Structure formats: C-alpha cells, structure tokens
Amino acid sequence: MTVAPLKFLLELPILSECSGAAGAVDNEVTPHMKAECHSKYRYLASLVRPVIFRWSMLGIIIFADSVWLFWDQWTVEPRSLLPRAMMGIVFCTPLLIKRYRCDDKLRSLGEAIAFSLIFATAAEIFSYLVVSTDGRLVDASLAAADNALSFDWGSYYLWSTRHLLFSHAVRAAYQSMGLQILIVLIYLSFTQRFLKLSEFLDLSALLLILTIVVSLFFPAEGASKFYGSRYHADVSGMFHFELLRSGSMKTIDLGVIQGLISIPSYHTIMGILLCWSVWGSRLFPFLVVVNSAMLFATPFVGGHYFVDVAAGALVTLAGITVRRYVRIKWNVLGDRLTLIRTHASHNT
C-alpha cells in the first residue's frame, strides 16, 4: 500500500520538471531538453526502485522475526536497543530541519544509517532464531573440504597466536568492520555517489539474509569450536551457540550479540563489498589493505573454515554480477515504459 505513494513522492520533483518541458510550446522543446529530462527521469527511477526493494526486505525480515518471537515465546532485552536508537537519533535528527532535509547528501546519509541500523538489528535477531533450530552440524564436511584444499586450520591458528604483531593487526582489522561501514556510507553520501550507495545497501542487506538462510540448511559451530580441544582455541565469544541450540536461551540481548554464522563468512562478504563500493577512489587502496588483513583474520579471529571464506567470496561476486544484470534490465524496462508514456501523452 505504501509503495506507490513513496514512488510518486520520490519521482515528483523530476516528473514536474519533465512535464513542464513536455507541456511547453513544441518549438521551445529542443532535443537537448528532451534528452536531459529523460536522463533525469531514468536516474531517479534507478534510485527509487532500490529504495523500495531494500525497505521491502526490511519489512519481510521484521515480520518474520515478529512471528517467530511470538510463536516460540522469545523476548528481546529492551535496554539493548537503546544504544542503536541513540545512534540513529544522533545521525537523523538534523533531517528534522528543512534546510538539512533538502540536502541530498545529508538525506542520503540519514536514510543509509537508519536502514543499516534497523536491518542489522533485525538480522541479528533472525540469526539467533535460526541457530536455535538445532539442525545437524556440517562441521565434519567443512573440515574435510579444508583438508582437500590443503588448508591446515590448526597450523594456521598456532602460527597466528605465536606471531603477536600479526595477530594484533589482523584482529584490529577484523573488528573494524562497523567503523568501515560508517566511513563508506559517509564517503558515498558526501561525494554524491548515490547509485553506488544504493547498490552497497542493497547487496549488504540481501547477502546478509542469504548468509543466515544458508546457515539454516548448513549449520556449523565453526572451526574454532570443532578444533578447540585440540588446539586450545579461544571460543569465549561463541558460548551462545550451545545455549541457543539446547533451548535454554530465550532472551536476546543485542548488547552482547555474538557472530554465530559459519558458512558463508559475512566478514568476507562485507570486506569485498566495502572495497567494491569505493572502487577507483582515493579510499580504495586503504580499504584494500584493511580488508585484506580482515580476510587473514577470518579463520583465526572469526573461527571460520577456509571454505567459509571461499563461499563468502563466491557469493559476493555472484551477488554483484546479478545486481548489475538486474539494474541493466530494469533500466531497459524503464526506458520502454518512458517511451510508451511519452507516445501516449503525445496522442492525447
């Protein structure tokens, strides 16, 4: 019910400008004016569709969370929502002032941060609900796949713990993902790369949901737990896993949320997306260095198998390719609809 009004409101500024040109005297409408109006309409449409798509995704996951929480008698700790709410208020309050709300850069940044905070919260809740399904673990198969690829997780873990400079550097990179996302959102907004910002938000949200859904069918405790007793791996940040699977944990505290999804690795997905989103900019080399370090940290700090990393990379490349293909198809369809609309208006 809200999609059509939203689309109309977003299209209104450009539509009014284009309709003004179309309603002018024929000899005043130059080919350049028509081309400019068509270009602006197409650009606007390319922004409107992703907005509708990602907020629709958010609505679906919130609905799924709500039904699951109610049906299975879960609760979410209300106080754990306050820090996120405060962060959203800090970044979005300026939009209450008309002067700032009319600024494309600030408006895009506010929408991006609001969406990212809400979606991440809903997805974290969803991930805990999925882990609680207590499916059959596939760790033995993932470990066998690592061995087939000649990756010795235990040796890599021991080597990493013995080289403190390396372990501290990659751990810092691994823990910087949230800060990197904020930097990229600010950069893309203030450099007016709105299409790239939209694509980044779409892909990061869609692939996060895909990651959680895949883990529903291929649940795994992770390499650090699978090899933990043999190599004394640190699993202190993953103890919610057993509590959720046993059914003894029914309250979700977002302030102490843990990353419990093994395959595919979402840190790998985001590392690639962050670099891809700033391709060709001055920020690109810096993010490549940081996220390369993050990839090295993924088996060691994140407790992932190597195949988790490989799966994350493949999923991301496929997502980028499909997203670009869909965008091209949508633009072609939009061009055809514009031609039909223009032809119909001339006939009337």
Side-chain angles (χ1 to χ4, degrees):
M1 295 293 292
T2 60
V3 171
L6 174 63
K7 184 174 181 180
F8 172 76
L9 289 173
L10 289 171
E11 289 184 276
L12 187 59
I14 302 300
L15 286 177
S16 61
E17 182 178 351
C18 291
S19 61
V25 181
D26 287 344
N27 57 12
E28 295 179 355
V29 182
T30 66
H32 175 72
M33 292 172 60
K34 293 181 179 179
E36 183 179 2
C37 285
H38 175 70
S39 176
K40 289 181 178 179
Y41 181 88
R42 181 176 180 179
Y43 176 74
L44 178 67
S46 67
L47 293 177
V48 171
R49 286 188 288 267
V51 169
I52 296 172
F53 171 73
R54 60 174 169 269
W55 284 97
S56 298
M57 276 198 303
L58 177 59
I60 291 172
I61 191 173
I62 289 177
F63 176 77
D65 283 346
S66 302
V67 171
W68 199 331
L69 289 169
F70 175 78
W71 186 265
D72 212 17
Q73 298 181 341
W74 286 76
T75 57
V76 177
E77 177 58 51
R79 289 177 298 179
S80 64
L81 294 170
L82 289 178
R84 299 166 188 241
M86 291 301 297
M87 184 181 296
I89 291 172
V90 168
F91 282 98
C92 295
T93 296
L95 298 182
L96 297 176
I97 303 173
K98 183 178 180 181
R99 173 185 175 184
Y100 299 121
R101 188 169 60 249
C102 293
D103 187 301
D104 290 340
K105 298 186 288 294
L106 292 177
R107 187 175 63 251
S108 297
L109 178 61
E111 190 262 339
I113 291 177
F115 174 81
S116 299
L117 286 173
I118 300 171
F119 199 93
T121 301
E124 286 170 350
I125 294 172
F126 188 50
S127 71
Y128 266 47
L129 297 175
V130 165
V131 171
S132 71
T133 56
D134 194 22
R136 182 185 176 188
L137 300 178
V138 298
D139 289 88
S141 299
L142 298 178
D146 271 7
N147 291 332
L149 295 172
S150 301
F151 180 78
D152 188 337
W153 188 91
S155 297
Y156 182 72
Y157 180 84
L158 293 176
W159 183 91
S160 299
T161 56
R162 290 168 185 162
H163 294 77
L164 296 181
L165 181 60
F166 172 82
S167 64
H168 290 324
V170 298
R171 186 181 296 275
Y174 191 84
Q175 295 172 345
S176 71
M177 190 174 76
L179 179 59
Q180 287 189 68
I181 293 173
L182 179 59
I183 291 173
V184 165
L185 294 182
I186 294 173
Y187 177 78
L188 293 178
S189 297
F190 278 82
T191 56
Q192 301 186 55
R193 305 184 185 201
F194 301 129
L195 282 176
K196 185 62 72 173
L197 174 64
S198 184
E199 288 183 324
F200 174 74
L201 292 172
D202 287 353
L203 285 170
S204 59
L206 180 61
L207 295 182
L208 176 55
I209 295 302
L210 179 62
T211 297
I212 299 172
V213 171
V214 168
S215 72
L216 175 64
F217 299 100
F218 301 97
E221 60 182 353
S224 56
K225 280 184 173 290
F226 186 74
Y227 293 112
S229 59
R230 192 184 311 177
Y231 299 104
H232 306 288
D234 181 13
V235 295
S236 59
M238 304 175 185
F239 65 90
H240 285 176
F241 189 80
E242 289 80 12
L243 297 176
L244 289 168
R245 287 174 60 84
S246 66
S248 59
M249 183 178 182
K250 285 288 187 176
T251 299
I252 301 175
D253 187 344
L254 294 166
V256 291
I257 209 79
Q258 297 176 356
L260 303 176
I261 304 300
S262 182
I263 184 169
S265 163
Y266 191 66
H267 268 79
T268 301
I269 291 173
M270 284 307 302
I272 297 174
L273 284 180
L274 286 165
C275 294
W276 166 80
S277 67
V278 296
W279 176 276
S281 71
R282 294 180 179 180
L283 200 57
F284 177 72
F286 170 74
L287 289 189
V288 167
V289 172
V290 174
N291 287 292
S292 296
M294 186 170 70
L295 291 181
F296 280 107
T298 303
F300 165 56
V301 181
H304 284 279
Y305 300 95
F306 178 76
V307 290
D308 296 348
V309 179
L314 291 175
V315 164
T316 310
L317 295 176
I320 292 173
T321 303
V322 171
R323 176 68 179 80
R324 182 154 297 178
Y325 174 81
V326 170
R327 189 183 71 179
I328 293 173
K329 290 297 182 181
W330 268 110
N331 285 341
V332 171
L333 178 60
D335 290 345
R336 291 176 179 175
L337 292 176
T338 302
L339 289 174
I340 293 173
R341 188 184 298 110
T342 303
H343 181 71
S345 64
H346 281 309
N347 289 339
T348 57

